Amino acid sequence: MTCIASLLLSLVLSSVSLAQLPLPSSPWLPPNATFGASPSNSSSNSTDTANPQWSTLLGDLLYFYEEQRSGKLPSTNRVPWRNDSATDDGSDVGLDLSGGYYDAGDYIKYTFPMSYTVMSVCWGALDYGKGYELANQTAYLDDMIRWSMDWLTKAHPEPNTLYVQVGNADLDNAYWGGDQSIPGNRTSFPINATHPGTDAAAQASAAFSACSALYANRTLSGSSTTALANSSYARMLLNHAQQLYSFATNSSIQQVTYQKSVPSVGQAYASSDYSDELAIAGLFLALAGNSSDAYNQAVQTYQNQKLFGRIQGGDVFNWDEKTPGVIVLGAQLMQAYPDLSAGNQMNWTSDLVVYCDGIVNGASRAYLTPGGLLYYPGDSDDASLNPALNAAMLIKRVADSNILSSDKAASYRQFAQSQIDYVLGNNPMTVPYIVGIHPNAPANPHSALSTGASPQDIANLDTVPLHEAYILYGGVVGGPDKDDRFWDLRSDWVQGEVGLDYIAPMVTLAAQSIVNGTGDPFYTTLQVGSYEERRPSGAPCDNAINSGCPGSGSWRVGKIIMAVFVSVAGAVVFALLFFWLYVEVQNR
């Protein structure tokens, strides 16, 4: 891209950003955590007013995304301890790739999970946009989406080019501190026609389509917000969506997972397949562009790639696996826009029941921990809350859709609520796993940003500094282990790290709870300080902290090998000693 074209693109993006909803002149700010310990005294479950506790939670969650912003911050920045950062991103390839979000507790930007995150948020707003309006958070939702999409637009400078990572993971992992000393040499990694990435292109397309549909007011459930309607912005997003979908489905371009072209992304976000991304991208494009062709292509992908087998196998819904979302969205489209599926007899509902029943009735590969958290072996090991929240989000969406009988919807709703309540404090640790929402919430999230402004001692994260400098409001942490134990250690990235995609399902669930008039979140009933009484002794056993862990398979294997070695060696030494003594006796 020429310098002139790049400048024109920047000007276009600037004009697009200026068209956003005006932010409040007095910005909304998260209250002190003690607010979450005070019930709202709201005795009725009204759907005409927003519960103040749920409104605060929704506000905190959106505030989190501002805490993760990269690039030059706007004058409306609400986070006093954040600064302009990584403003030269993209300079190594002659582009402006500044902006967007830092992915998790570090300073790398990854397109794949980020585009999944904004797809999820826009989808949730299509269903529960009224919740943002009731909570007076619609302008902040708009701000979050545009900050996301403006960067994705810059990351897609040409039809068949998409930048999928910015930053050097090796340099970044060796640094722990604030946003003013981020290591330089931030490399930009693209996929293109000669180095393709079907999954990343399709997922980005799905994000553009989902958000385009939101701004085009293409409702799914009738409770979306009309305040975001903006036809010109919707068309711009749709254009990017169509180009990326064509890039992903172009028969002359090899279809591969993106880490084969950009190996560095495989360190954190290796994709297992691309067919699920193609399917969900096709469905969202069908919604945004009113395209029966895109719908039929999505159905063909779902059927030809036998994605129902993943539903039967109890697959999780997350940044890597989209199949459960495909069947939910497919069922919604069939109900809301029957013309799209005219002539196509795909029965999404039956597959939907298999998925939901498998989870609710305990027939999937997931199981409930002793404390009641839905746990997917493998997928939940490094972030236990996210799979459960995503399942709750999908199942509750189904329950609200009027697709199924009232009895079945009620059972789904009850199960989903149990997962929400667990995350919000109804768990053996009495911890609401969202930073800053309650005095019992995690105080030591794995976040370089919130630890302190100056570079810190990365070798002693748990004690230096003793307390984090800033409260990372709205950060949903990884969560407890399979035995419901949580240590709140800064060094334990498995339990304590935050991530863009961790927050996304909770944003939708909070908006949904406001729309449905749900009573106070569970954490308002918690006794302040009860976590300190329950905090486990010792240390966790996970991929972040596992030295000397008796529950580790590698530890057990090592112990067995050592025991065998010692036993065999001891027997040999004893036999040689006995033989030597025997010879000595015989020689006397």
Side-chain angles (χ1 to χ4, degrees):
M1 175 179 286
T2 66
C3 293
I4 294 177
S6 181
L7 177 61
L8 288 174
L9 177 61
S10 298
L11 290 172
V12 169
L13 288 173
S14 298
S15 65
V16 168
S17 297
L18 290 174
Q20 64 188 16
L21 292 177
L23 294 169
S25 55
S26 296
W28 184 94
L29 297 173
N32 185 279
T34 55
F35 178 81
S38 303
S40 68
N41 297 320
S42 176
S43 58
S44 64
N45 290 347
S46 172
T47 58
D48 296 323
T49 58
N51 177 288
Q53 288 288 350
W54 281 107
S55 294
T56 296
L57 175 54
L58 181 60
D60 277 15
L61 295 167
L62 290 174
Y63 187 84
F64 169 81
Y65 288 109
E66 288 195 33
E67 294 167 319
Q68 295 292 116
R69 281 180 171 176
S70 178
K72 182 174 177 56
L73 301 181
S75 60
T76 54
N77 170 51
R78 294 181 290 168
V79 187
W81 46 271
R82 284 304 320 281
N83 304 279
D84 296 347
S85 60
T87 55
D88 292 332
D89 279 356
S91 60
D92 60 321
V93 292
L95 293 175
D96 174 15
L97 296 179
S98 63
Y101 298 106
Y102 298 122
D103 170 66
D106 49 25
Y107 295 101
I108 305 295
K109 296 191 294 197
Y110 291 105
T111 300
F112 196 47
M114 178 182 159
S115 56
Y116 162 78
T117 295
V118 70
M119 176 197 78
S120 179
V121 170
C122 283
W123 187 8
L126 280 164
D127 287 325
Y128 304 112
K130 182 182 176 183
Y132 295 92
E133 292 186 353
L134 291 173
N136 295 317
Q137 290 290 331
T138 304
Y140 292 115
L141 167 68
D142 181 49
D143 201 34
M144 178 270 172
I145 294 171
R146 287 176 182 269
W147 191 268
S148 308
M149 303 315 297
D150 286 357
W151 187 80
L152 285 175
T153 299
K154 291 196 286 187
H156 179 227
E158 297 173 355
N160 291 345
T161 299
L162 177 70
Y163 283 84
V164 295
Q165 178 182 332
V166 178
N168 186 310
D170 292 333
L171 289 176
D172 196 80
N173 290 336
Y175 170 74
W176 193 264
D179 55 17
Q180 293 298 279
S181 303
I182 300 172
N185 299 320
R186 289 173 61 82
T187 310
S188 306
F189 299 89
I191 56 172
N192 49 45
T194 55
H195 296 85
T198 309
D199 38 18
Q203 179 54 69
S205 173
F208 276 109
S209 288
C211 296
S212 174
L214 177 64
Y215 284 91
N217 199 31
R218 294 276 290 174
T219 62
L220 281 172
S221 63
S223 64
S224 65
T225 174
T226 58
L228 295 180
N230 186 318
S231 59
S232 61
Y233 191 58
R235 284 195 300 271
M236 186 274 287
L237 297 178
L238 180 59
N239 182 55
H240 282 277
Q242 291 168 332
Q243 289 182 356
L244 283 161
Y245 187 71
S246 295
F247 176 25
T249 58
N250 190 325
S251 59
S252 65
I253 298 176
Q254 183 184 11
Q255 291 191 323
V256 295
T257 54
Y258 77 133
Q259 67 266 19
K260 291 184 179 179
S261 296
V262 184
S264 64
V265 298
Q267 297 179 33
Y269 291 103
S271 172
S272 57
D273 184 45
Y274 53 78
S275 54
D276 50 320
E277 281 82 22
L278 287 173
I280 204 162
L283 290 180
F284 271 120
L285 188 58
L287 172 64
N290 194 31
S291 171
S292 57
D293 287 343
Y295 176 87
N296 289 329
Q297 288 178 34
V299 172
Q300 289 173 9
T301 298
Y302 182 81
Q303 294 175 330
N304 294 343
Q305 299 302 318
K306 298 179 171 55
L307 295 186
F308 178 59
R310 301 186 191 180
I311 298 300
Q312 291 175 307
D315 261 10
V316 70
F317 181 60
N318 61 12
W319 61 267
D320 180 35
E321 179 56 69
K322 316 300 180 345
T323 303
V326 170
I327 58 172
V328 174
L329 180 58
Q332 287 184 301
L333 287 175
M334 185 176 64
Q335 181 185 50
Y337 298 97
D339 290 346
L340 286 177
S341 57
N344 192 312
Q345 300 302 311
M346 177 65 197
N347 188 354
W348 297 108
T349 305
S350 61
D351 292 3
L352 192 64
V353 171
V354 171
Y355 168 71
C356 295
D357 278 358
I359 292 175
V360 173
N361 300 329
S364 74
R365 70 179 180 88
Y367 64 87
L368 295 181
T369 65
L373 178 68
L374 185 69
Y375 198 95
Y376 289 82
D379 292 289
S380 299
D381 295 346
D382 286 347
S384 62
L385 300 180
N386 186 250
L389 282 174
N390 275 315
M393 176 186 66
L394 291 182
I395 291 173
K396 205 156 194 182
R397 177 179 271 126
V398 172
D400 291 344
S401 64
N402 297 319
I403 296 174
L404 306 175
S405 68
S406 58
D407 290 344
K408 190 171 285 292
S411 69
Y412 289 177
R413 192 174 287 111
Q414 182 179 12
F415 180 87
Q417 192 63 48
S418 74
Q419 298 306 296
I420 299 168
D421 289 344
Y422 182 103
V423 174
L424 298 184
N426 190 14
N427 55 66
M429 296 286 99
T430 65
V431 171
Y433 289 107
I434 302 175
V435 180
I437 201 66
H438 185 277
N440 288 15
N444 298 292
H446 182 89
S447 167
L449 272 166
S450 65
T451 301
S454 59
Q456 305 292 328
D457 182 1
I458 197 170
N460 296 285
L461 291 187
D462 294 326
T463 55
V464 182
L466 187 59
H467 301 290
E468 297 201 351
Y470 313 112
I471 300 173
L472 197 68
Y473 286 104
V476 178
V477 298
D481 67 9
K482 59 184 176 60
D483 297 313
D484 304 293
R485 298 172 300 177
F486 181 74
W487 277 265
D488 196 20
L489 295 173
R490 194 178 303 139
S491 62
D492 189 7
W493 57 263
V494 169
Q495 293 202 350
E497 190 161 23
V498 295
L500 301 178
D501 62 306
Y502 292 5
I503 282 75
M506 197 67 239
V507 171
T508 293
L509 288 167
Q512 185 272 344
S513 296
I514 293 171
V515 170
N516 287 357
T518 306
D520 283 348
F522 189 88
Y523 51 72
T524 61
T525 67
L526 295 176
Q527 178 184 349
V528 174
S530 56
Y531 168 60
E532 292 304 323
E533 301 171 1
R534 292 167 168 78
R535 184 172 183 166
S537 59
C541 169
D542 54 38
N543 287 329
I545 303 175
N546 61 7
S547 117
C549 173
S552 167
S554 58
W555 179 89
R556 287 179 175 172
V557 171
K559 290 282 285 185
I560 292 170
I561 292 174
M562 182 60 70
V564 171
F565 174 78
V566 171
S567 299
V568 171
V572 171
V573 171
F574 181 82
L576 289 173
L577 178 61
F578 181 83
F579 180 76
W580 177 79
L581 289 172
Y582 174 79
V583 171
E584 286 292 307
V585 170
Q586 293 298 317
N587 289 337
R588 288 179 180 177

